Amino acid sequence: MTATFLSEWLNLLFRWFHLIVGVGWIGTSFYFIALDLSLRKREGQAEGIFGSAWEVHGGGFYHVEKFMVAPKELPRDLMWYKWDAYLTWVSGFALLSVQYYFNATVYLIDPEVMKLLPVEAVAISIASLGLGWIIYDRLCRSAIGKNTPLLAVCLLVIILGATYGYSQVFSGRGVLIHVGALIGTFMAFNVFMVIIPNQKKITADLLAGRKPDAALGLIGKQRSVHNNYLTLPVLLMMVSNHYPLLTGHSQPVLVVALILVMGGMVRHFINRHDAHDNFANFWWALPTAAVSLFVALIVTQPAKIGGGHGPIPDSDVLEIAQTHCAACHSATPTNEAFTEAPKNIELDSIADLQRYDSLIMAQAVRSSAMPLGNETGMTKEEREILGAWLQGY
């Protein structure tokens, strides 16, 4: 077994596991936020109960009550929802390592952006995730954390600032996946460093006969709401490397801002609907998301291909493909990161180029997503020549 073969299997298994635990975490987050928002005060409720909800699912009825701090007694089979969050981050970091760290020169580094050694790129990546969490956490714990609108603006500034920083260091793929990883770090560490520790303190006080600090629950709730609003944007960031119209865009800060607004507004609409809020108070959320989507459609329009090249010989185009594409997309790849052509797309002949013309246009002409990390130094003129030929063959 070769190292590349094992790397591919690790990539597949980590990705599969990441999806499984991620679905569990997101589903739990969505459910508990919806449950919390649907709680209602009812006659005859016991002392200390904030509200209750009646639910029906799978042929059964459920009655759920929420205590303002905690009940006087706790059962031994108290359930803790934490491992899905922890394992989502761990598996995500493992996948980041296999995909981007072990293949940094292919996926993470773009010499046209910044010439880095793989170890330098990996160090920047890890340091940025740690520093980002420290800044975000300190902000939440500061006086700004008590002002929700101001905190939301500051969080937006942190994420967009990180996007700009990543765009000065990494490839297009590296930028968006790291924005997603940063947001994912905020979310997972909220659970690991804040929500669960606070819940444990409350539980310990209760078991010891002490009165729990209600502020601990409020802080945990704040971080939980942050996670809820960030979920939809982070999901799109994580699949962005499949879409060159995002990863190859020249203004990643704008792209990320639009994704945050779209995802946040959709989540806000769902949350307020779950809370049975007056529609007049939140109707604007979906139109705001729609406007953001429309702007995204406009700004990601394919760039026009320069003209004036005249008739382009097939041999010139084939030479471009052999120089910049065939190292990976060939029946016999020479790039050590691949044992066979990615997605079985081989570009060894004119017929191959014609067969995959739309993919080549999207990946290598209208964006710089290919070659990976522009490892071969494909020029703008070569992309224009290739695009003009593909449009006119």
Side-chain angles (χ1 to χ4, degrees):
M1 294 185 183
T2 65
T4 301
F5 176 76
L6 292 175
S7 176
E8 289 177 352
W9 263 105
L10 284 175
N11 189 309
L12 173 61
L13 294 175
F14 284 141
R15 192 179 300 274
W16 190 14
F17 186 69
H18 187 57
L19 286 171
I20 292 170
V21 291
V23 167
W25 182 20
I26 292 169
T28 300
S29 171
F30 282 8
Y31 170 72
F32 275 103
I33 290 294
L35 173 63
D36 199 58
L37 293 172
S38 66
L39 295 170
R40 296 290 179 270
K41 290 284 188 181
R42 304 179 192 277
E43 292 184 5
Q45 285 182 341
E47 182 182 354
I49 293 180
F50 175 81
S52 65
W54 282 90
E55 303 174 329
V56 57
H57 180 74
F61 293 87
Y62 302 82
H63 182 212
V64 184
E65 295 180 327
K66 177 181 178 179
F67 289 79
M68 294 179 64
V69 176
K72 294 181 179 180
E73 296 181 356
L74 287 175
R76 292 185 178 275
D77 57 349
L78 179 65
M79 297 177 64
W80 292 82
Y81 291 88
K82 57 182 181 179
W83 285 107
D84 285 344
Y86 298 167
L87 293 176
T88 298
W89 190 89
V90 170
S91 60
F93 188 78
L95 185 58
L96 182 68
S97 300
V98 172
Q99 180 77 35
Y100 285 87
Y101 292 174
F102 294 169
N103 299 290
T105 56
V106 177
Y107 292 103
L108 189 55
I109 299 171
D110 184 345
E112 291 190 354
V113 177
M114 181 177 288
K115 293 182 179 179
L116 294 169
L117 295 173
V119 66
E120 293 173 330
V122 172
I124 292 172
S125 169
I126 295 174
S128 69
L129 297 180
L131 179 61
W133 161 254
I134 291 172
I135 294 173
Y136 162 73
D137 183 57
R138 292 294 181 270
L139 187 68
C140 290
R141 296 176 187 274
S142 71
I144 293 175
K146 299 178 182 179
N147 186 324
T148 299
L150 179 59
L151 180 60
V153 171
C154 290
L155 179 56
L156 179 64
V157 170
I158 290 174
I159 296 173
L160 295 183
T163 304
Y164 176 78
Y166 286 136
S167 70
Q168 304 304 302
V169 178
F170 296 141
S171 66
R173 277 183 172 82
V175 172
L176 289 193
I177 201 67
H178 271 82
V179 175
L182 180 65
I183 296 175
T185 298
F186 292 167
M187 296 170 65
F189 277 48
N190 274 340
V191 178
F192 180 65
M193 300 291 288
V194 179
I195 297 173
I196 294 300
N198 283 9
Q199 291 282 42
K200 287 184 175 180
K201 291 176 184 177
I202 292 173
T203 303
D205 285 342
L206 185 64
L207 294 176
R210 298 187 296 268
K211 183 179 180 180
D213 184 358
L216 295 174
L218 294 176
I219 293 170
K221 176 65 182 300
Q222 179 194 52
R223 301 297 182 98
S224 180
V225 171
H226 289 183
N227 286 2
N228 183 262
Y229 275 88
L230 290 171
T231 298
L232 296 186
V234 80
L235 286 174
L236 186 54
M237 303 291 183
M238 291 307 183
V239 300
S240 63
N241 63 350
H242 298 287
Y243 300 93
L245 74 152
L246 299 179
T247 59
H249 199 274
S250 61
Q251 300 181 56
V253 174
L254 176 59
V255 170
V256 170
L258 292 170
I259 291 173
L260 289 170
V261 172
M262 280 188 281
M265 288 299 98
V266 170
R267 193 64 244 170
H268 183 71
F269 183 89
I270 295 173
N271 286 344
R272 299 327 305 165
H273 177 270
D274 288 340
H276 302 288
D277 198 0
N278 189 323
F279 185 73
N281 295 332
F282 65 92
W283 66 268
W284 49 268
L286 284 186
T288 302
V291 170
S292 299
L293 175 59
F294 179 75
V295 173
L297 292 174
I298 297 300
V299 301
T300 57
Q301 279 288 312
K304 294 182 179 180
I305 300 172
H309 294 287
I312 301 172
D314 291 354
S315 58
D316 289 359
V317 175
L318 190 58
E319 182 180 354
I320 292 175
Q322 290 295 320
T323 301
H324 301 293
C325 309
C328 303
H329 292 283
S330 173
T332 55
T334 57
N335 190 317
E336 61 182 13
F338 302 100
T339 56
E340 59 182 26
K343 299 182 180 179
N344 292 320
I345 297 175
E346 299 174 3
L347 303 176
D348 293 318
S349 67
I350 291 296
D352 290 335
L353 297 177
Q354 293 172 341
R355 179 183 180 186
Y356 298 110
D357 57 353
S358 60
L359 290 176
I360 297 171
M361 286 291 292
Q363 298 277 359
V365 177
R366 299 192 187 282
S367 78
S368 57
M370 292 289 176
L372 289 170
N374 200 18
E375 192 174 17
T376 59
M378 190 174 187
T379 65
K380 181 179 179 180
E381 182 180 5
E382 287 175 316
R383 296 182 192 278
E384 291 181 352
I385 291 172
L386 180 58
W389 181 87
L390 289 170
Q391 289 184 328
Y393 72 80

